[in-house]
Structure formats: structure tokens, C-alpha cells
Amino acid sequence: MIAAMMTAANLGARVTGWGFVVFTLGSICWSLVGFSTGQTNLLATNGFLTLVNLIGIWRWLGRQRAYEDGGQSASEASRRSALPTLFTATGITGLPVTAADGEVVGTVVEALVTCADGTVSYVVIRSGGVGGIGETLRAVARSDLDFGCEGFTLHHEKTWFEALPGLADGDWPAAPEATGTTPARS
């Protein structure tokens, strides 16, 4: 159960990888029980699960961790250099979004990027709910946001954000709705 919680929580490569380590220990123990009691089905099943879990360790503690560390390294190096400050595209998920009036309105779920030039078209922000239950997703145009390494800032107040229509699960638009207002920069 601990391993399942660690992998299901999606808290990064290290936590997921260590979840696979716990899974591996469990499958090895069950393999030993199957071997010592002559339960060949238990032995075969958990022998296979051990192999799968070892692949999970390699994937999450090996490759994915290296990707995350590389992105973090570039981000930190850019903050110490004269070059523009970088942040990882995958790192925006979960960043807080603050309204112009200083109130946190939600967290970033995803950014949609145009294929032609690689610019961000809009960002999907979740608000309300607990653990994905009862949350509302809204699309906010790139022009209505300032990006930052620690979070995003809306050019509008919380009431403007809450007036945006919610997105249907799995049915997001090709572009955000036009707001019809001029952004009030803070």
C-alpha cells in the first residue's frame, strides 16, 4: 500500500522510483514465500513482478531522475547568469497562480503551446476542490499572465478569473475565450 501511494501520488521521479523499490522488496518476499511453500503460481507471478518493478526503478530513479536533475541544473545556472532565467516546461505543473489583488486563485495544470512557433497559447488553471474532486479548470490566455520561476501572476483580479467559464473534462478549446478587456497590469 505504501508503494502504491508513492507511485500514485506522482510527486516526482525520486518518490515514484522509491515506490518501485518498495514494490520490488515486496515481490521478492512473496517470491521467497512461493518458493519455500511450493506455490509455483505465486513464485511465477511475483518473479515477473520483480522484473517489472526493476524496470520501474531504472525508469524513475535512473532516466527520469536524470531528466529532472538536468532541467533543475539549467534552471539554477540561468538564475546565476546574464542569460534569461529558465524554468522547465514540466515544472510549471502545480505552480501557484496569484491574481493582481494578491490572492492565490489556483495552480497550473498544463500549458498549451502552438506548434508553429512554440509560444504558449494558454495555461489551464485549477481552482477549488480537494484532490481533483470538485475542482474547476479554466483556460487563461498567455497575454493575461506573467510567468515567474516561483509562480504565475494574473493581470486581473480574482473576480475576473472566477468569471471565466470552466472547461469540460477532456474537451479543452483550441484557444482561450477572448476576454474582451484590456489587461490591468499590476
Side-chain angles (χ1 to χ4, degrees):
M1 290 187 302
I2 292 169
M5 292 294 288
M6 291 173 75
T7 56
N10 194 23
L11 297 174
R14 283 182 177 77
V15 174
T16 301
W18 281 103
F20 276 106
V21 169
V22 174
F23 273 137
T24 302
L25 293 173
S27 61
I28 289 171
C29 289
W30 280 112
S31 294
L32 292 172
V33 168
F35 179 75
S36 65
T37 61
Q39 297 181 56
T40 56
N41 287 342
L42 185 61
L43 175 61
T45 301
N46 282 283
F48 177 74
L49 288 176
T50 300
L51 176 65
V52 170
N53 292 328
L54 290 171
I55 292 169
I57 292 170
W58 171 80
R59 168 73 170 87
W60 291 100
L61 285 180
R63 298 309 316 143
Q64 191 63 35
R65 181 207 42 83
Y67 302 153
E68 287 182 9
D69 288 352
Q72 186 65 32
S73 163
S75 178
E76 289 171 7
S78 73
R79 291 180 189 189
R80 296 185 304 266
S81 75
L83 299 171
T85 304
L86 304 172
F87 64 93
T88 62
T90 56
I92 70 166
T93 301
L95 284 178
V97 179
T98 306
D101 54 11
E103 218 172 321
V104 175
V105 297
T107 57
V108 175
V109 172
E110 185 67 85
L112 286 293
V113 178
T114 61
C115 294
D117 60 7
T119 59
V120 173
S121 173
Y122 69 93
V123 174
V124 177
I125 301 168
R126 73 172 153 229
S127 61
V130 176
I133 299 171
E135 72 183 5
T136 302
L137 301 178
R138 293 179 176 90
V140 177
R142 166 64 181 103
S143 60
D144 290 319
L145 289 165
D146 285 332
F147 284 54
C149 292
E150 305 303 322
F152 291 33
T153 305
L154 281 174
H155 298 162
H156 307 280
E157 294 187 355
K158 182 178 181 179
T159 53
W160 175 89
F161 173 76
E162 290 175 338
L164 292 173
L167 301 177
D169 283 348
D171 189 22
W172 295 356
E177 282 193 21
T179 61
T181 62
T182 304
R185 296 208 178 247
S186 53

